[in-house]
Amino acid sequence: MMRFVRIYLSLVLVMAFWGSAFPSSKIAVQSAPPEVAAFIRFLLGAAVLVALGGVRRLPVRDVAAVGGLGLVGVFGYNVLFFAALTLAPAADGSVIVPVTAPVITVVVTAVLGRRRLAARTALGLIAAVAGGGVFLAGIPAGGGERFAGDLVFIAGAACWAVYTIFGAPVLRRLPAFTVTTYATLAGALALGVFALPSFGELRWSELDTGFWLNQAYLSVLPTALAYVVYYQAVRRVGPAVSSSAMFLVPVFGLACSWLLLGESITGVQAAGSVLMLAGAWLATRPDAGVRRKSRLAEVAG
């Protein structure tokens, strides 16, 4: 039981780090092109993981799978995430991504036959989609760029959902630390190739100490540490339960966006956020039988 509690407390800490990453990443793209900022973050994050001993022998049969996770969850997600930050407030992303990703996870797992789509789940999905519509409708007039950025955030959430779902089978065979290290290395390499044309445009000498300290924070805590802990949770309690913890990210994200950037969402967007959260909670809440199996598995483990 205590181990189960520790897993959830560690997930709360991860969500706090990820919530803070929205405004911190917004600050980063104010000084560097988004693709370069993403590359620096994950290059440093990969270096931290390697230094901590994350490089171990990877079975040949898993090379493609782990590399694919890096391309989707690190490269794909962060290209979209950092691009969206140049168009929309970090506050929007801190609500859209963590709420949308679990909903997409539920839909995909249901399509794949891994989850039963009960009436409560369907009702939750409808409410979450309706809340998303209200959230987007709450964008102030003339906010076409912000609207586009929010759609890019949704695309990023889809990448994260795929990363979570298809990472689960790999984690049944390999340690979370190993998977995270190699996926981060693969994603950082792809980000480096993608960012290469922008390197010449950046005046590296103008990047001040604050930029590098911010990048160091992003690479160590929201990236290296948080990714490992999150994947450990996915391995122990499953992708649906782990991704549902992301409902805490808006709380931390909105608070940090307000404190660091002075950003906030409109009243209509706040109402849409509540509807999205309620719907996503209903949609991702495990059935009683699933909860009993999880508790029994934890006791047995």
Side-chain angles (χ1 to χ4, degrees):
M1 180 64 181
M2 286 303 298
R3 189 168 67 175
F4 201 67
V5 171
R6 285 197 297 270
I7 292 172
Y8 277 95
L9 288 177
S10 67
L11 278 172
V12 171
L13 186 61
V14 167
M15 301 310 140
F17 288 146
W18 281 344
S20 69
F22 285 88
S24 295
S25 297
K26 180 79 171 184
I27 292 171
V29 299
Q30 291 172 351
S31 301
E35 59 272 21
V36 175
F39 169 64
I40 294 173
R41 171 182 173 179
F42 283 90
L43 177 65
L44 294 175
V48 171
L49 290 168
V50 171
L52 292 175
V55 175
R56 297 184 180 181
R57 183 178 177 274
L58 188 66
V60 175
R61 67 168 182 163
D62 291 313
V63 170
V66 174
L69 291 175
L71 291 178
V72 174
V74 177
F75 173 71
Y77 170 74
N78 282 283
V79 165
L80 295 169
F81 172 70
F82 277 85
L85 286 172
T86 65
L87 300 170
D92 283 15
S94 69
V95 173
I96 292 171
V97 175
V99 177
T100 306
V103 171
I104 296 174
T105 299
V106 169
V107 172
V108 174
T109 51
V111 170
L112 294 176
R114 298 184 189 177
R115 181 188 180 98
R116 184 173 63 89
L117 198 60
R120 184 194 64 224
T121 304
L123 178 63
L125 292 174
I126 293 171
V129 172
V134 173
F135 186 93
L136 293 175
I139 295 175
E145 189 173 83
R146 183 173 182 175
F147 182 83
D150 285 355
L151 292 181
V152 177
F153 276 131
I154 293 174
C159 284
W160 185 260
V162 172
Y163 179 66
T164 301
I165 294 165
F166 291 97
V170 179
L171 290 169
R172 286 195 284 268
R173 303 189 300 270
L174 299 171
F177 198 8
T178 300
V179 173
T180 303
T181 299
Y182 281 105
T184 303
L185 283 168
L189 178 61
L191 285 168
V193 174
F194 184 72
L196 195 59
S198 300
F199 288 164
E201 303 173 8
L202 182 62
R203 297 182 179 179
W204 294 90
S205 60
E206 295 183 1
L207 297 178
D208 58 17
T209 303
F211 173 83
W212 291 109
L213 288 175
N214 184 44
Q215 288 293 82
Y217 168 78
L218 285 168
S219 63
V220 175
L221 297 180
T223 303
L225 177 63
Y227 271 55
V228 171
V229 174
Y230 179 75
Y231 251 174
Q232 286 176 337
V234 171
R235 184 178 188 180
R236 293 173 182 173
V237 298
V241 176
S242 298
S243 62
S244 67
M246 294 182 76
F247 300 148
L248 294 173
V249 174
V251 178
F252 295 110
L254 288 172
C256 291
S257 295
W258 178 70
L259 288 171
L260 297 176
L261 300 171
E263 292 181 351
S264 62
I265 57 177
T266 66
V268 174
Q269 286 181 305
S273 300
V274 172
L275 185 55
M276 287 170 67
L277 283 166
W281 179 79
L282 278 175
T284 59
R285 187 182 176 195
D287 294 331
V290 173
R291 292 197 297 272
R292 283 196 298 271
K293 288 180 181 178
S294 297
R295 286 194 291 267
L296 289 172
E298 180 61 25
V299 173

